[in-house]
Amino acid sequence: MVMAGGMIKKLVTSTILGCGIFLAGGLASLHSATAQTTGSEVPTPEPAILFSADEVDYNQELQTVTTRGNVEISREGRILLADTVSYDRTQDVLTASGNVSITEPTGEVTFASYVELSGDFKEGIVQDIYVLLDENTRIAGAGARRSGGNFTEIAKAVYSPCKVCEDNGSGSIPLWRIRAARVLHDSESKTVEYEDARLEVAGIPVLYTPYFQHPDPTVKRQSGLLAPSFGSTSHVGSYFSQPYYWSIDESKDMTFTPTYTTDEGPVLANEYRQRLDSGEFVVNSVTRDSEDDWQGHIDAKGRFDIDPTWRWGFDAEQASEKTYLSRYGFGSPSVLTSNLFSEGFRGASYTRADAYYFQGLKSDDDRDTTPIVLPHLQFHGQSAPAKYGSITTLDLDGLSLTRDEGTNSHRVSAKAGWELPHVGTMGDVTKLSLSVRSDNYLVSDVSRTNRENYSGYTGRLLPLAAIDWQMPFVSNQGQYQQVITPIAMAAWSPNGGNPDEIPNEDSQSFELDDINLFSHDRFGGLDRAEDGFRASYGLEWGIYGPQGGYTSAMFGQSYRANENDTFAAGSGLDEHLSDYVGRVTVAPNRYLDLTYRYRLSNEDFSARRNQVTASAGSMDTLRINTTYVHFTDDAGSEEFDEREEFYFQAQRQFSEYWSGRAYGRYDIDQSDPLEYGVGFVYEDECFIFDGRIRRTFYRDQDLGESDDFIFRLVFKTLGEFESAAGL
């Protein structure tokens, strides 16, 4: 019986009862027999088969069904497409030929010239197989055998995620591929296994292994060895690292990275991660160095939600010696901070409790004089706007800071404030601020000028009255908008707000700039307070374009009625009239972004501080990023003397796949380079090459200058190979 495509090309559902094909008769008798043997038990229905075709030929005598032309058959989520499909009901065997493709429920697609499968698509053989996995990864072979619905065993196989370009002169050879005598793909465990495998790059064999396994591209995480790295540095000598990744379960994993070094002994680094409501992360390492001493470090953090209002967390950072992290490549921070905290958010209020432990990594840092903070309590509350928009604020702060040697300080502070904003009829904006702050201290061993150290109670009461004013003038000039805004601030507090008995722990570093010019109290902490009458004035200007480009500038100065030692010499505020501060920003489009920030002497406009950051160009031509920093020895820095430094970075995307980068850092004051390097990156759909050369000229305690050559090879879907070598 043959039916034309116009009559049959439709979708037949359930068990094809209407057409009497694909197991219809056999299933009917089987269901009847089952019903007789099981009494009232309900038989389990067979999975539905859906199909469509241009033509169907059903031979009742031979119990065969043959479909031709645009055949599509679906069963249990698997879809078969072919030119011709034949089904033998007696053997439960299905054969397909001509443009055959099988799509799995997981998304993998298998192409072949001829396929012979069991009726449930789980068993069979395939000729001229070509498997398309996730991320366009491909496996091809002369033939394959399918078993259990999960395993596909391919003979004379080739695996590659690389595209094949027919018109680039290289024929059909991908950038890299794996050839193997046998490949087994397990779609349930999502692994790909190879026997007698060799890695070819541009058709040239570069690596052989009798056995190799990796997850298929659908796998995001699975236990196993990661790519090793090896090389040589001046700090540890030659080294070799072989990480192992352990996927513990869906919420946590761990990476073990044993490293052997020729000069400093073995190192074991562990990274543990766990995802709870908000997460946890831990890194630690341990080694026995060349002097037979145990060394190590820990870097851990956690964040945990208690309820919708409260959460708690921790950060733990410690190292056995100051240069350990830099020596073994774990970073080069100047201080390690360990913190245990809890915080709560409710409406406009915020509460936080902290404990801190610090480890300084500079050469002159001493653990005995490094403070421990336990606890630090903070609260900020703000009322809803009242009549005329006024708001009331309350700030509480409690701190206990102790040392093995040196000053100890225990502080309780409270500040109540009230603010009243007002917008005038001319567009001017005014804000009146009133507050009173009480600071109470119990201290010991506080150093005082020309007097013996003080221990006992001290405190202060600081009322504050301040007014802020600004008035923007706006001018529309075609597509551009120009804004000029004069700004002024005046504040008053009683003189003598910083007695010698109060130690300065949290307000040691200060510099006047365009950011804090209009602050009522320009100290960052509570141990120091700005006192007396002071006022600031300035002018802001900006012009803004329709596409988001703009140019802006700001210039201002501050006045203090009292000339005292509240601010250190060189800070810019140690005289009645402060230095001039300001900034200029030019960002007309995405190809240029320049910012110049400055501080000029109030006597002769000479530069005390200059900072220029600029980005220009595009990656298609040349993208340049530069930073210039200069401050004089009388600029008030407590960390540096006179300093002048220049940094630049140039980047370019040479082609679709190639990009390059060069950078350098130069000490202009000493006429010495600090660091420079160059690197190139190639990245396509299946491969990454990242090569870098770096030279450093500075010393860090017992670590000297270094020269490094680093490169990284990433075979996407397989892993990466990384190496670093000293020059």
Side-chain angles (χ1 to χ4, degrees), residues 57 359 402 404 410 440:
D57 184 359
Q359 181 184 1
T402 59
D404 290 340
H410 309 279
N440 302 273

Side-chain angles (χ1 to χ4, degrees), residues 70-228:
N70 300 314
V71 181
E72 179 177 346
I73 301 176
S74 175
R75 183 173 186 177
E76 294 184 291
R78 294 180 175 88
I79 301 174
L80 169 66
L81 304 177
D83 293 339
T84 302
V85 176
S86 297
Y87 177 65
D88 187 337
R89 293 178 57 197
T90 60
Q91 301 294 325
D92 193 24
V93 173
L94 182 146
T95 60
S97 60
N99 299 312
V100 181
S101 69
I102 301 174
T103 303
E104 298 290 335
T106 54
E108 296 97 341
V109 183
T110 301
F111 302 91
S113 61
Y114 175 82
V115 175
E116 182 178 304
L117 297 172
S118 60
D120 57 6
F121 296 178
K122 294 182 179 181
E123 312 286 337
I125 59 173
V126 184
Q127 294 179 2
D128 300 323
I129 187 172
Y130 181 91
V131 182
L132 181 63
L133 303 175
D134 191 25
E135 299 183 2
N136 290 320
T137 303
R138 305 160 183 86
I139 303 177
R145 180 179 299 277
R146 183 175 178 80
S147 60
N150 296 319
F151 300 97
T152 302
E153 181 181 342
I154 305 174
K156 299 180 180 179
V158 177
Y159 171 92
S160 178
C162 303
K163 295 179 181 178
V164 176
C165 184
E166 298 290 350
D167 56 357
N168 64 355
S170 60
S172 59
I173 299 176
L175 179 60
W176 69 266
R177 63 188 176 188
I178 297 178
R179 285 186 174 273
R182 174 180 174 271
V183 172
L184 179 63
H185 176 229
D186 187 343
S187 60
E188 183 174 341
S189 64
K190 300 185 182 301
T191 59
V192 181
E193 299 180 8
Y194 302 84
E195 293 182 2
D196 291 332
R198 64 180 184 270
L199 173 66
E200 296 182 356
V201 178
I204 302 174
V206 297
L207 186 65
Y208 169 82
T209 178
Y211 178 81
F212 177 63
Q213 174 185 302
H214 67 84
D216 73 19
T218 63
V219 175
K220 303 305 178 185
R221 51 199 298 270
Q222 188 178 80
S223 299
L225 294 174
L226 302 179

Side-chain angles (χ1 to χ4, degrees), residues 663 673-676 694-698 704-708:
Y663 72 96
L674 297 175
E675 179 181 1
Y676 60 74
R694 185 184 69 163
R695 181 183 180 96
T696 61
F697 298 89
Y698 49 81
E705 301 176 358
S706 66
D707 300 289
D708 299 312

